[in-house]
Amino acid sequence: MTKGHARKDRARRTARRTGASYTSARAGTVHTHPAPVLTPVSGKPFGASFTIDMTDAMAAIGARLADCEPCLASAVNRMTWRDPFVPLALAVSLPAELGEGFTPTTTAYSKTIPRYEYEEAYLFVAYLEEDKLHDFISDLVDIWAFAIPRLIQNPQGGGHLDSLIIDLTPPRPPFYVAAHTGFVPVPGGSFPALTINSPDLTGTIYDLAERCGFPLYTWNTLPGIAPWILQQHPKTRRPWGVQSWGKDMPRLTVGSPEHSADASNQWIQAAHRAGSVLVLGLWHREVSSIRGSAEEHEIFAVRARVEPGE
């Protein structure tokens, strides 16, 4: 969306605004407008122990939709003067892609802060100067006001704005499952390998590389053992994924215990003899034909440890 689209109908409704609105704003008796119901947001992702009250954001968006400048200015000012958590909650879950026409602060945020990166978002917002924070909040309100009518489920207009609930919680982690087992050629012979897929396409190479730390796989090499442990079904010994174990990294699991890969006794025995396996991320075809994709830099992989007791 562009800034022009977000505000294109403002001039059409200027006549609706009356002197009474400005009088009410100055007297502290600002009237209310139909507004989306924004559920309280947990402050835990931002390092806060309290729940973030989104009342000011609801008031600002409602005023923006009604094109009531006094109420909008009052709500934006409250969000500017108070703690940064309300605009932070709006920013980390922007419902629309940004186009042209926004302030440099908003443009910088959209280009540099990945979606749902809480710590980076908090630092960005918390250290904004007051005038830049004010402009940033104004842009956020415009973006949400533009997007909210499009988020109402009933396209025929049957939905009511004052009953709309927008969930600001982050999406669930990407879903991965173990797919194929086999052997890949390495210097001196072959090595047991496991492939990981994402059936619902929520998993990406970017996620494996950035969040999970999978490095790019180089063909015909055997990487060193990474801080990951192969996960196997306790009875069948079939592998279902990997789990991180490093002291200085968050505990991550790639794969699902409910979805294990078929594995021959030969593969299982080879994995235990080697003490590790090569785990190839988002490889959808047979392991034996991996060379072409590896040469085209399409595969990220880690060498995961196999625990003796597994």
Side-chain angles (χ1 to χ4, degrees):
M1 64 165 289
T2 64
K3 192 73 166 182
H5 284 123
R7 291 180 171 172
K8 67 180 180 179
D9 58 346
R10 177 171 293 186
R12 300 176 186 174
R13 295 179 292 180
T14 299
R16 297 183 185 178
R17 299 194 293 269
T18 66
S21 296
Y22 289 92
T23 302
S24 297
R26 294 183 63 184
T29 58
V30 179
H31 54 279
T32 59
H33 304 280
V37 178
L38 300 182
T39 58
V41 178
S42 171
K44 187 175 181 180
F46 310 117
S49 59
F50 53 82
T51 299
I52 303 169
D53 184 356
M54 302 298 290
T55 302
D56 286 340
M58 292 163 55
I61 295 170
R64 174 65 183 86
L65 288 167
D67 206 21
C68 179
E69 293 288 353
C71 292
L72 176 61
S74 178
V76 169
N77 285 339
R78 292 196 302 272
M79 294 168 67
T80 303
W81 298 334
R82 295 174 179 175
D83 62 54
F85 291 104
V86 174
L88 188 59
L90 293 178
V92 297
S93 51
L94 288 175
E97 296 293 330
L98 301 191
E100 301 295 329
F102 292 96
T103 64
T105 301
T106 305
T107 301
Y109 179 91
S110 68
K111 289 183 176 180
T112 61
I113 308 299
R115 191 173 176 85
Y116 298 112
E117 285 293 336
Y118 299 116
E119 183 176 356
E120 293 183 37
Y122 175 80
L123 292 175
F124 183 98
V125 176
Y127 285 98
L128 286 176
E129 297 178 357
E130 184 175 304
D131 58 338
K132 292 183 179 180
L133 177 60
H134 185 279
D135 291 343
F136 184 52
I137 292 173
S138 296
D139 277 348
L140 291 175
V141 171
D142 280 342
I143 295 166
W144 278 90
F146 171 84
I148 279 172
R150 293 156 179 79
L151 296 175
I152 298 177
Q153 296 299 318
N154 189 342
Q156 283 72 40
H160 297 288
L161 186 62
D162 57 4
S163 65
L164 176 64
I165 298 176
I166 298 176
D167 185 6
L168 299 182
T169 56
R172 65 179 178 81
F175 178 63
Y176 297 100
V177 300
H180 301 290
T181 57
F183 294 86
V184 294
V186 295
S190 60
F191 200 79
L194 170 69
T195 66
I196 298 291
N197 287 347
S198 180
D200 63 359
L201 303 181
T202 55
T204 64
I205 289 178
Y206 174 84
D207 176 70
L208 289 175
E210 297 297 324
R211 184 177 68 95
C212 302
F214 277 40
L216 183 67
Y217 176 63
T218 303
W219 168 249
N220 203 30
T221 64
L222 183 60
I225 297 178
W228 293 85
I229 298 176
L230 181 71
Q231 303 297 299
Q232 294 178 270
H233 189 281
K235 293 183 178 179
T236 65
R237 322 308 292 174
R238 292 178 177 178
W240 58 261
V242 288
Q243 190 173 81
S244 61
W245 57 272
K247 294 181 179 179
D248 298 327
M249 64 184 299
R251 179 59 59 92
L252 296 174
T253 300
V254 179
S256 169
E258 299 177 356
H259 301 274
S260 56
D262 289 333
S264 65
N265 289 332
Q266 178 189 10
W267 187 92
I268 295 174
Q269 293 171 5
H272 283 266
R273 284 196 305 270
S276 60
V277 299
L278 189 62
V279 181
L280 308 166
L282 297 184
W283 175 245
H284 296 278
R285 286 156 284 180
E286 292 299 329
V287 179
S288 59
S289 60
I290 193 175
R291 179 172 182 173
S293 290
E295 290 177 338
E296 294 174 8
H297 307 292
E298 295 178 346
I299 299 175
F300 288 76
V302 293
R303 182 180 170 189
R305 191 179 76 195
V306 177
E307 294 189 326
E310 287 293 322

